[in-house]
Amino acid sequence: MRPYVVLLACVAALGGLLFGYDTGVISGAILFIGKDFALGTRAQEFTISVVLLGCIAGAAVAGRVADAAGRRATLLFAGVLFFTGAIVSALASDDAVLLAGRSVVGIGIGFSSVVAPLYISEVAPAAIRGALVSLYQFAITIGILAAYVVDYALAAGGAWRWMLGLGVVPAVVLVAGMLFMPESPRFLFKLGRAERGRIELARVHGDSNVELEEERSIVASLAARSTGIRAFAAPSLRLALFVGVGLAILQQVTGINTVIYYGPRIFEMAGFGSAQHSILAESIVGSVNCLMTLVAIVWVDRVGRKPLLYWGVGGMFVALAALAVAFATSHLSGSLGAIALGSMMLYVGCFAFSLGPIVWLLISELFPLPVRGIGMSISTLSNWVGNFVVSQFFLTMVESLGASKTFAIYAALCIVTIAFVRAFVPETKRELLENVTVAGRAVPR
Ligand code: BGC
């Protein structure tokens, strides 16, 4: 890997780190915010979920902004949103100001979740694109883990303002870093700045044959006439959108954020004695999430996207089925805690090398350059809507159906995911972005 490309990917991946940190940090902070601002249950729930509403709004517009203003400027803007939102939240004098700050953070997450993988995917040479976009997911998991650690460390003093405020540190690094990063070569060609685009291609490849081939494909891909949302009326683009949206929703409805947001609650349901033990167990799960993403970084460009998806989602199914059986079988109740911890480690570990990174990777690969921003925006927006729905209704589902049936539903959705991948998802390993085809049909250029 050329160090220069890795550096570009690492700076952009800070958008992922902030995504993970800012979605994770609230779970610990809310305990103290609730007390300080005397919030009831409903107000607390809203303080938690307002960030997801911001994500939906941010993701909805980010693609258009990235197609108009460029990938670099959009990511820079996301950094400014993260910074502003963190400061406003940390200094909030009442719940209304806090809600405003958290909404701005949410919009920042929405923006970065579209444009960070998009930027990385467009600068990356085809042979290592999978690893570099997986770096973005790795950064998300580091952010989530950092949030747990910060919450844990600051809990004794109830320092929720610091918990929320510490997000400014990576935000400053992201903004400062992006000031020095180049525009994506593909976007430069789209703007008609071929000379500059060629220079950037040369800097990422250092091999003139590859550059030439890539330049030809990019220029050819820009011949598409229709560029706005109406382009998706074309059957093959519609299919690409179906695949992008489908993957984005399946990533959420197979239940990942019940574990990420409600892990300690699940451990308590499984009989863990103290809140402290539950939080410790959650930190173990967070570490597994982080470490197992490395498997994707190493293997996704070697074995390909689809094999990792089959293995990973298969493993998630086994773990969820085990949870469903364990919660339904009363004579297992003594060992429920151990089964829950084991299953959740297996579940998260399998997600971490499959649906986690590969969904972001694929949705950054499916759409042709003229409509890539919009295609990613719609897919990412669906991901956040799925996230919102699952996290809003998880506790209600557990209350009305019981834990066993709830996990059984997620397990069944893993089977749907495997069938969906088999039927519709293209293998994009080592393909030039411009050569990706969906369900055997070339996307029109
Ligand atoms: C998902 C998030 C999830 C995270 C967990 C991401 O790929 O989009 O919703 O919280 O992975 O690592």
Side-chain angles (χ1 to χ4, degrees), residues 78-95:
V80 173
L81 289 173
F82 280 122
F83 178 85
T84 315
I87 299 267
V88 172
S89 310
L91 301 178
S93 49
D94 56 30
D95 194 41

Side-chain angles (χ1 to χ4, degrees), residues 381-445:
L381 168 71
S382 324
N383 183 270
W384 287 114
V385 173
N387 187 333
F388 183 76
V389 171
V390 172
S391 49
Q392 288 301 297
F393 292 110
F394 173 64
L395 292 180
T396 318
M397 270 175 85
V398 171
E399 261 167 37
S400 57
L401 300 174
S404 174
K405 285 208 182 102
T406 304
F407 289 122
I409 292 174
Y410 296 138
L413 286 163
C414 288
I415 303 291
V416 174
T417 306
I418 291 176
F420 185 89
V421 171
R422 246 188 88 80
F424 300 112
V425 172
E427 181 51 76
T428 54
K429 172 180 80 164
R430 296 176 168 267
E431 282 282 9
L432 261 186
L433 274 186
E434 285 65 34
N435 295 347
V436 167
T437 58
V438 180
R441 274 194 282 178
V443 175
R445 305 293 165 193

Side-chain angles (χ1 to χ4, degrees), residues 19 137 140-141 144 251-252 257 260 289 351 356 360 383 387:
F19 164 168
Q137 170 72 15
I140 296 179
T141 63
I144 294 174
Q251 189 203 46
Q252 294 299 323
N257 285 315
I260 301 294
N289 190 18
F351 173 90
W360 294 113
N383 183 270
N387 187 333

Side-chain angles (χ1 to χ4, degrees), residues 18 85 102 108 114 146 153 165 177 208 237 273 344 358 370 405 413 416-417 426 443:
L18 282 150
R102 292 292 291 167
V114 172
S208 51
L237 270 192
M344 279 171 49
I358 296 177
K405 285 208 182 102
L413 286 163
V416 174
T417 306
V443 175

Side-chain angles (χ1 to χ4, degrees), residues 262-272 319-341 343-344 394 398 401-408:
Y262 295 105
R265 225 16 187 278
I266 301 176
F267 286 122
E268 266 170 14
M269 290 183 327
F272 269 57
L320 287 166
L323 275 175
V325 171
F327 271 102
T329 318
S330 54
H331 69 262
L332 282 180
S333 64
S335 37
L336 198 54
I339 297 175
L341 180 59
S343 306
M344 279 171 49
F394 173 64
V398 171
L401 300 174
S404 174
K405 285 208 182 102
T406 304
F407 289 122

